[in-house]
Amino acid sequence: MRILVTGGAGYIGSVSVEAFLASGHEVTVLDDLSTGHRDAVPEGARLEVGSYSDSEAVARLLARHQIDAVLHCGAKSLVSESMTNPAKYFIGNVSGGIALLEGMRAVGVKRIVFSSTAATYGMPDRTPVMESDPVRPINAYGETKRSVEGAIRWYGHGYGFQ
């Protein structure tokens, strides 16, 4: 399988890339390197420096590398910064996430795994948190991740995304 990993130069993304490569998959990493590190991208993965927030560029990349599925790990992720600069998080995470989905839709890539966060649960009623527990974000970061989860769910209903 040919997989695109957004944010693949970050910690979670790069560890996922390693696992995909070890399982025999072909991996392309899309990362703007604003918080990720070029050296974190495992050998054997192709690095494309850029942003997932440009749907046309994403569509070209997906088509060029004949991508089958996307692991979306890219995001702005500092909780405290999200509270003092929520616009940065809504533009980067939500608008960017929708741009990624639109790039995927343009070329017919409908398989996505989203790296979300426990911050969507806010102050959970119990631990460990179960996926079925209510989502009640208490910061802008958690709200942006919840928003992208909702967009992905609706892209599934409307466009057949899985």
Side-chain angles (χ1 to χ4, degrees):
M1 181 175 279
R2 291 175 300 273
I3 303 169
L4 174 68
V5 179
T6 66
Y11 178 72
I12 293 170
S14 64
V15 170
S16 298
V17 170
E18 283 181 0
F20 290 143
L21 291 170
S23 295
H25 299 289
E26 187 177 315
V27 182
T28 301
V29 168
L30 176 60
D31 201 299
D32 65 9
L33 302 178
S34 61
T35 56
H37 306 280
R38 185 180 302 271
D39 293 343
V41 177
E43 188 175 323
R46 182 182 306 114
L47 173 62
E48 297 272 349
V49 178
S51 173
Y52 59 85
S53 64
D54 179 342
S55 60
E56 292 174 2
V58 166
R60 288 191 302 271
L61 183 149
L62 294 169
R64 185 171 63 251
H65 297 297
Q66 300 178 323
I67 299 297
D68 300 305
V70 174
L71 170 60
H72 183 33
C73 293
K76 303 296 180 202
S77 61
L78 301 176
V79 171
S80 61
E81 181 185 50
S82 81
M83 296 301 285
T84 59
N85 192 359
K88 179 178 182 179
Y89 283 70
F90 279 90
I91 291 167
N93 294 352
V94 180
S95 295
I98 291 170
L100 173 67
L101 294 171
E102 282 296 289
M104 293 172 65
R105 188 165 73 99
V107 296
V109 175
K110 296 183 177 184
R111 299 170 84 184
I112 184 167
V113 173
F114 180 55
S115 178
S116 192
T117 176
T120 60
Y121 296 100
M123 300 299 290
D125 297 329
R126 62 180 171 172
T127 55
V129 176
M130 304 300 290
E131 233 178 299
S132 58
D133 287 345
V135 285
R136 299 179 296 238
I138 59 171
N139 54 61
Y141 168 63
E143 182 63 30
T144 65
K145 292 296 226 171
R146 186 208 58 80
S147 296
V148 176
E149 288 177 359
I152 292 169
R153 184 177 65 253
W154 288 108
Y155 270 65
H157 289 295
Y159 307 118
F161 275 50
Q162 300 174 5

